[in-house]
Amino acid sequence: MSRGKSGGDLKRDLKARHLMMIAIGGSIGTGVFLASGSAIQQAGPGGALVAYMAIGMMVYFLMTSLGELATYMPVSGSFSTYASRFVDPAFGFALGWNYWYNWAITIAVELSAGSIIMKYWFPDSPAILWSALFLVLMFALNALSVKGYGESEYWFSFIKVATVIIFIVVGLLMIVGILGGQAVGTKNWTVGEAPFSGGLMGIISVFMIAGFSFQGTELVGVAAGESENPSKNVPRAIRQVFWRILLFYGLAILVIGTILPYTHPNLAGGDVDAIAKSPFTLVFERAGFAFAASVMNAVILTSVLSAGNSGMYASTRMLWMLAKEGKAPKIFARLTKNGVPIYALLATALIGGLAFLASLVGEGTIYIWLLNASGMTGFIAWLGIAISHYRFRRAYVRQGRDLADLPYRAKWFPFGPLFAFTLCLIVIVGQNYQALLGQTIDWYGLLVSYIGIPVFLAFYLGYKWTKKTKLIPLDKCELDD
């Protein structure tokens, strides 16, 4: 392994097709393949559809905000760098370290999930063997070059997209009676309390599930720093977000909610150890595909590997940029001759591996707390994007710049970032509102759900206190490199 060079820049080797599939892959994962069933079971088909479309709209505005920032200033630090420049260096520091930590812990989640999935085919094999194999695979794909990550993510995403499209086509054919015997029709939209089960609170509870489903869409902003033509390719990827969300989530939930009643007992199973209960598996089996569970197992495995692969990439780039900006040890800024931040990658893989080992110790208590602390970080990152874009645009105008000169301009400003900020705040505050509704307050439940907020504040206030940083005035924001 080359010792690497300190400083230097990453290589812009991600092509338009890589960026497109990274953006697609970020929004399709176990959230649609597994958790969608749980969402329908909680809120009914109509409630789930409304919740996913509302969160989808929020994500669309977040991505247009990120698109404007990433085309103007394509850096791998993405929203951490933007927050440091347009809000407060302490805010950027906290966003960067929280995002790195979040994805490093997510790697452990995917290693654990991958080993559970492999038990389907090899029930007697040791779980730690598969997890170690997957960790080595993710590390190798990222250590080769950015093209290695881009190419692997392209094919992982291709499999996921193809599966969702086939599922939607098969489902629509079943609804009209061409496949699977008698036409299903729309009778499941009037079963029990359908289409809206649980009313408004049912929809709000699904906001959380939908929010987690879309986590990772912001990866396109991190990848912009290594895109070969960001001013052209990033807007193209961003423009597809709305239609992707509408197609992959809207139609998929419509098909599931129409074919399966929301009272179906298996819809509540939303974990990787219950592949047979995946709504996709249930629909394919009803269509007459006997091998559905095995195929969905393979597809969900690609989703898990894709999430781990992306987590390794995103956290490595964030740590590299933090080091480059003097907010992390300088060794993490070193690059190999292929432009890979090798020490940042090693640190990320090590934390992911240690977190996975923590899940095997005792009852995994340490791991559960690590997981809970990272759970809210994605939403905090989204808040950071909305705030950074709002401040950037105001600073841009305040400093006398012409909006026509922006390579990509987010429409509906300031409604977009303000809407995204408000809805994101509702999702964060509502993480565990049930803990407050009982006769006695569930303090442990509140602590477990909201531990991510004090962790973020500790980073933010700690940096602010030691560096004495302040909110940057709009006319002092650095708009140029």
Coordinates of all heavy atoms in Angstrom, one line a residue, residues 30 34 105-121 127 130-131 134 138 271-275 297 300-305 307-308 356 359 367:
T30 N -33.7 -1.3 1.5 CA -34.6 -2.1 2.3 C -35.8 -1.3 2.8 O -36.9 -1.9 3.1 CB -33.9 -2.6 3.6 OG1 -33.3 -1.6 4.3 CG2 -32.8 -3.6 3.2
L34 N -38.7 -3.8 2.3 CA -39.1 -4.4 3.5 C -40.1 -3.5 4.3 O -41.2 -3.9 4.7 CB -37.9 -4.9 4.4 CG -37.1 -6.0 3.8 CD1 -35.8 -6.1 4.6 CD2 -37.8 -7.3 3.9
I105 N -21.2 3.6 11.4 CA -22.1 2.7 12.2 C -23.0 1.9 11.2 O -23.3 0.7 11.4 CB -22.9 3.4 13.2 CG1 -21.9 4.1 14.2 CG2 -23.8 2.5 14.0 CD1 -21.0 3.2 15.0
T106 N -23.5 2.6 10.2 CA -24.4 1.9 9.2 C -23.7 0.8 8.5 O -24.3 -0.2 8.2 CB -24.8 3.0 8.1 OG1 -25.5 4.0 8.8 CG2 -25.8 2.3 7.1
I107 N -22.4 0.9 8.3 CA -21.6 -0.3 7.7 C -21.8 -1.5 8.6 O -22.0 -2.6 8.1 CB -20.1 0.1 7.6 CG1 -19.9 1.2 6.6 CG2 -19.3 -1.2 7.3 CD1 -18.5 1.8 6.6
A108 N -21.7 -1.3 10.0 CA -21.9 -2.4 10.9 C -23.3 -3.0 10.8 O -23.5 -4.3 10.8 CB -21.7 -2.0 12.3
V109 N -24.3 -2.2 10.6 CA -25.7 -2.6 10.4 C -25.8 -3.5 9.2 O -26.4 -4.6 9.2 CB -26.7 -1.4 10.2 CG1 -28.1 -1.9 10.0 CG2 -26.6 -0.5 11.5
E110 N -25.2 -3.1 8.1 CA -25.3 -3.8 6.8 C -24.5 -5.1 6.9 O -24.9 -6.1 6.3 CB -24.8 -2.9 5.6 CG -25.4 -1.6 5.5 CD -26.9 -1.6 5.5 OE1 -27.5 -2.6 5.2 OE2 -27.5 -0.5 5.8
L111 N -23.4 -5.1 7.6 CA -22.6 -6.4 7.8 C -23.4 -7.4 8.5 O -23.5 -8.6 8.2 CB -21.3 -6.1 8.6 CG -20.2 -5.2 7.9 CD1 -19.1 -5.0 8.8 CD2 -19.7 -5.9 6.6
S112 N -24.1 -6.9 9.5 CA -25.0 -7.8 10.3 C -26.2 -8.3 9.5 O -26.5 -9.5 9.5 CB -25.5 -7.0 11.5 OG -26.3 -7.9 12.3
A113 N -26.8 -7.4 8.7 CA -27.9 -7.8 7.8 C -27.5 -8.8 6.8 O -28.2 -9.7 6.5 CB -28.5 -6.5 7.2
G114 N -26.3 -8.5 6.2 CA -25.8 -9.4 5.1 C -25.6 -10.8 5.6 O -25.9 -11.8 4.9
S115 N -25.1 -11.0 6.8 CA -24.8 -12.3 7.4 C -26.2 -13.0 7.7 O -26.3 -14.2 7.5 CB -24.0 -12.2 8.7 OG -24.7 -11.6 9.7
I116 N -27.2 -12.3 8.1 CA -28.5 -12.9 8.3 C -29.1 -13.4 7.0 O -29.7 -14.5 6.9 CB -29.5 -11.8 9.0 CG1 -29.0 -11.5 10.4 CG2 -30.9 -12.3 9.0 CD1 -29.7 -10.3 11.0
I117 N -29.0 -12.6 6.0 CA -29.5 -13.0 4.6 C -28.8 -14.2 4.1 O -29.5 -15.1 3.6 CB -29.3 -11.8 3.6 CG1 -30.2 -10.6 4.0 CG2 -29.6 -12.2 2.2 CD1 -30.0 -9.3 3.3
M118 N -27.5 -14.3 4.3 CA -26.8 -15.5 3.8 C -27.2 -16.8 4.6 O -27.1 -17.9 4.0 CB -25.2 -15.3 4.0 CG -24.7 -14.2 3.1 SD -25.1 -14.4 1.3 CE -24.2 -15.9 0.9
K119 N -27.7 -16.6 5.8 CA -28.2 -17.8 6.5 C -29.4 -18.5 5.8 O -29.7 -19.6 6.1 CB -28.7 -17.3 7.9 CG -27.5 -17.0 8.9 CD -27.0 -18.2 9.6 CE -26.0 -17.8 10.7 NZ -25.4 -19.0 11.3
Y120 N -30.1 -17.7 5.0 CA -31.2 -18.3 4.2 C -30.7 -19.4 3.3 O -31.4 -20.4 3.2 CB -31.8 -17.1 3.3 CG -33.0 -17.6 2.5 CD1 -34.3 -17.5 3.0 CD2 -32.8 -18.0 1.2 CE1 -35.4 -17.9 2.2 CE2 -33.9 -18.4 0.4 CZ -35.1 -18.4 0.9 OH -36.2 -18.7 0.1
W121 N -29.6 -19.2 2.7 CA -29.0 -20.3 1.8 C -28.1 -21.2 2.6 O -28.0 -22.4 2.2 CB -28.2 -19.7 0.6 CG -29.1 -18.9 -0.3 CD1 -30.1 -19.4 -1.1 CD2 -29.0 -17.5 -0.6 NE1 -30.7 -18.4 -1.9 CE2 -30.0 -17.2 -1.6 CE3 -28.3 -16.5 -0.2 CZ2 -30.3 -16.0 -2.1 CZ3 -28.5 -15.2 -0.7 CH2 -29.5 -15.0 -1.7
A127 N -22.0 -16.7 11.1 CA -22.4 -15.3 10.6 C -21.1 -14.4 10.4 O -21.0 -13.6 9.5 CB -23.3 -14.7 11.6
W130 N -19.3 -14.4 7.0 CA -20.0 -13.6 5.9 C -19.7 -12.1 6.1 O -19.4 -11.4 5.2 CB -21.5 -13.9 5.8 CG -21.8 -15.3 5.4 CD1 -22.3 -16.3 6.2 CD2 -21.5 -15.9 4.1 NE1 -22.4 -17.5 5.5 CE2 -21.9 -17.3 4.2 CE3 -20.9 -15.5 3.0 CZ2 -21.8 -18.1 3.1 CZ3 -20.7 -16.3 1.9 CH2 -21.2 -17.6 2.0
S131 N -19.8 -11.7 7.4 CA -19.6 -10.3 7.7 C -18.2 -9.8 7.4 O -18.0 -8.8 6.8 CB -20.0 -10.0 9.2 OG -21.3 -10.3 9.4
F134 N -17.9 -9.6 3.6 CA -18.5 -8.4 3.0 C -17.7 -7.1 3.4 O -17.6 -6.2 2.5 CB -19.9 -8.3 3.5 CG -20.9 -9.4 3.0 CD1 -21.9 -9.9 3.9 CD2 -20.7 -9.8 1.8 CE1 -22.7 -10.9 3.4 CE2 -21.6 -10.8 1.3 CZ -22.6 -11.4 2.1
M138 N -16.3 -4.6 0.5 CA -16.6 -3.2 0.5 C -15.3 -2.3 0.6 O -15.2 -1.3 -0.2 CB -17.5 -2.8 1.7 CG -18.9 -3.3 1.7 SD -19.7 -3.0 3.3 CE -21.1 -4.1 3.2
D271 N -38.0 -6.8 8.7 CA -36.6 -7.0 8.9 C -36.0 -8.0 7.9 O -36.7 -8.7 7.3 CB -36.3 -7.5 10.4 CG -36.8 -6.5 11.4 OD1 -36.4 -5.3 11.3 OD2 -37.5 -6.9 12.4
V272 N -34.6 -8.0 7.8 CA -34.0 -8.8 6.9 C -34.1 -10.3 7.2 O -33.8 -11.2 6.4 CB -32.5 -8.5 6.7 CG1 -32.3 -7.2 5.9 CG2 -31.7 -8.4 8.0
D273 N -34.4 -10.6 8.5 CA -34.6 -12.0 8.8 C -36.0 -12.5 8.5 O -36.4 -13.6 8.9 CB -34.3 -12.3 10.3 CG -35.1 -11.4 11.2 OD1 -35.8 -10.6 10.7 OD2 -34.9 -11.6 12.5
A274 N -36.8 -11.7 7.8 CA -38.2 -12.0 7.5 C -38.4 -11.7 6.0 O -39.4 -11.1 5.6 CB -39.2 -11.3 8.3
I275 N -37.5 -12.2 5.1 CA -37.6 -12.0 3.7 C -38.9 -12.5 3.1 O -39.5 -12.0 2.2 CB -36.4 -12.6 2.9 CG1 -35.0 -12.2 3.5 CG2 -36.5 -12.4 1.4 CD1 -34.8 -10.7 3.3
N297 N -34.4 -12.5 -1.8 CA -33.3 -12.6 -0.9 C -32.0 -12.1 -1.5 O -31.3 -11.3 -0.9 CB -33.1 -14.1 -0.5 CG -32.6 -14.2 0.9 OD1 -33.2 -13.7 1.9 ND2 -31.4 -14.9 1.0
I300 N -32.4 -8.2 -2.0 CA -32.2 -7.5 -0.8 C -30.7 -7.5 -0.3 O -30.2 -6.6 0.3 CB -33.2 -8.0 0.3 CG1 -34.6 -7.6 -0.1 CG2 -32.8 -7.4 1.7 CD1 -35.7 -8.3 0.7
L301 N -30.0 -8.6 -0.7 CA -28.6 -8.7 -0.4 C -27.8 -7.7 -1.1 O -26.9 -7.0 -0.6 CB -28.0 -10.1 -0.7 CG -26.5 -10.3 -0.5 CD1 -26.2 -10.2 1.0 CD2 -26.1 -11.7 -1.0
T302 N -28.2 -7.4 -2.4 CA -27.5 -6.4 -3.2 C -27.8 -5.0 -2.6 O -27.0 -4.1 -2.6 CB -28.0 -6.4 -4.7 OG1 -29.3 -6.1 -4.8 CG2 -27.7 -7.7 -5.4
S303 N -29.0 -4.8 -2.1 CA -29.4 -3.6 -1.4 C -28.5 -3.3 -0.2 O -28.1 -2.2 0.1 CB -30.9 -3.6 -0.9 OG -31.7 -3.3 -2.0
V304 N -28.3 -4.4 0.6 CA -27.5 -4.3 1.8 C -26.1 -4.0 1.5 O -25.4 -3.1 2.1 CB -27.6 -5.6 2.6 CG1 -26.5 -5.8 3.6 CG2 -29.0 -5.7 3.3
L305 N -25.5 -4.7 0.5 CA -24.1 -4.4 0.0 C -24.0 -3.0 -0.6 O -23.0 -2.4 -0.3 CB -23.7 -5.5 -1.0 CG -23.6 -6.9 -0.5 CD1 -23.2 -7.9 -1.6 CD2 -22.5 -7.0 0.6
A307 N -25.8 -0.4 0.3 CA -25.8 0.6 1.4 C -24.5 0.6 2.1 O -24.0 1.7 2.5 CB -26.9 0.2 2.4
G308 N -23.9 -0.6 2.4 CA -22.6 -0.6 3.0 C -21.5 0.0 2.2 O -20.6 0.7 2.7
F356 N -19.5 -3.7 14.5 CA -20.1 -5.0 14.3 C -19.8 -6.0 15.4 O -20.6 -6.7 15.9 CB -19.7 -5.5 12.9 CG -20.1 -7.0 12.7 CD1 -21.5 -7.3 12.5 CD2 -19.2 -8.0 12.8 CE1 -21.9 -8.6 12.3 CE2 -19.6 -9.3 12.7 CZ -20.9 -9.6 12.4
S359 N -21.8 -5.7 18.4 CA -23.1 -6.2 18.3 C -23.1 -7.7 18.8 O -24.2 -8.3 19.1 CB -23.7 -6.1 16.9 OG -23.0 -7.0 16.0
Y367 N -23.7 -1.7 21.1 CA -24.0 -1.5 19.7 C -25.4 -0.8 19.5 O -25.6 0.1 18.7 CB -24.0 -2.9 19.0 CG -24.5 -2.9 17.6 CD1 -23.8 -2.3 16.6 CD2 -25.7 -3.6 17.2 CE1 -24.3 -2.3 15.3 CE2 -26.2 -3.6 15.9 CZ -25.4 -3.0 15.0 OH -25.9 -3.0 13.7

